[in-house]
Amino acid sequence: MAQKGLARDTVVRAALELLDEVGLEGLSMRRLAARLGVQNPALYWHFRDKQELLDEMARELLAPDLGGPGEGESWREWLTRRAHRYRRTLLSHRDGARLIAIGNPGPDVARGFELELAILTGLGFTPAQGLHAIAAISHYTLGFVLNEQAARERQAAGAGLDLAAYAAEFPLTVAGVREGGAPTSDEAFAHGLRLILDGVAAAHSA
């Protein structure tokens, strides 16, 4: 059979490569089959439909992110590192944030999340405090990268900006960017993350 030599992980890796080239809108089973040099039925041998493929791609993307704090690392340092690593993971592929937003993370990611909660409860957090701390940071990171990647797509499509006119109309916005970086910059992400962690620390202390 044609599909016999086509491994499931080979399909997923090829799909992630194709995602980088054509984006989520352009990713189709037909295009993926053509890239792999097979007919469409060979893909459906492994995946019932495109959504199941997207779920597996999301799991592949998230798998390396599981892990706890390093030796001597505080919970705040760990969650900070976790957030920056998560952002890098989402940015590692075109439309990575959209892929995670619509994908089913699966039981392996859920097990990793449970282990993270166990770490936080061991450090004095209640289950609810730990759950909402990790969720808030994850949602913030995902939303930040969704906007970040959308802005890149607009720039790539040629949606330019008259900087002089913009600065004249919105001087305080421009001053804010000059002082602390653009809203989708590394500096802006780090600043927002610090605000969230300050809130987590305050709730934890209370």
Side-chain angles (χ1 to χ4, degrees):
M1 290 185 293
Q3 64 269 18
K4 189 173 182 180
L6 190 62
R8 186 180 175 94
D9 59 346
T10 299
V11 177
V12 174
R13 285 195 298 269
L16 288 170
E17 291 173 359
L18 185 59
L19 177 69
D20 288 335
E21 295 176 12
V22 302
L24 199 56
E25 297 298 333
L27 179 65
S28 68
M29 301 297 272
R30 177 186 58 80
R31 275 184 165 172
L32 182 57
R35 184 184 188 89
L36 290 166
V38 299
Q39 298 298 315
N40 279 19
L43 298 183
Y44 290 109
W45 176 264
H46 294 286
F47 302 98
R48 289 192 305 268
D49 51 31
K50 181 181 176 180
Q51 184 58 53
E52 186 174 325
L53 172 64
L54 294 175
D55 292 343
E56 194 66 29
M57 292 167 64
R59 291 164 195 163
E60 177 73 15
L61 200 58
L62 287 174
D65 268 10
L66 303 179
E71 183 69 27
E73 196 173 32
S74 69
W75 67 262
R76 181 167 183 140
E77 291 168 335
W78 168 46
L79 292 181
T80 298
R81 179 172 58 82
R82 181 186 183 280
H84 284 286
R85 183 180 57 190
Y86 185 36
R87 179 173 174 237
R88 288 194 301 271
T89 296
L90 297 176
L91 288 171
S92 67
H93 287 281
R94 180 178 175 182
D95 287 334
R98 288 181 62 198
L99 173 64
I100 297 303
I102 65 174
N104 179 354
D108 286 343
V109 174
R111 292 185 191 102
F113 188 79
E114 182 73 11
L115 289 174
E116 291 178 333
L117 282 180
I119 291 168
L120 287 179
T121 55
L123 293 172
F125 285 74
T126 68
Q129 287 175 333
L131 173 68
H132 295 306
I134 294 176
I137 293 168
S138 297
H139 293 161
Y140 164 69
T141 305
L142 182 63
F144 190 96
V145 178
L146 279 169
N147 281 288
E148 194 173 5
Q149 292 185 317
R152 290 184 181 183
E153 291 291 332
R154 289 194 299 271
Q155 291 171 358
L161 183 68
D162 186 335
L163 295 178
Y166 190 89
E169 188 173 359
F170 306 106
L172 292 178
T173 301
V174 172
V177 169
R178 287 173 177 165
E179 179 184 346
T184 55
S185 65
D186 295 342
E187 295 83 359
F189 178 78
H191 179 75
L193 180 59
R194 284 194 298 271
L195 294 179
I196 294 173
L197 288 170
D198 286 345
V200 171
H204 180 48
S205 297

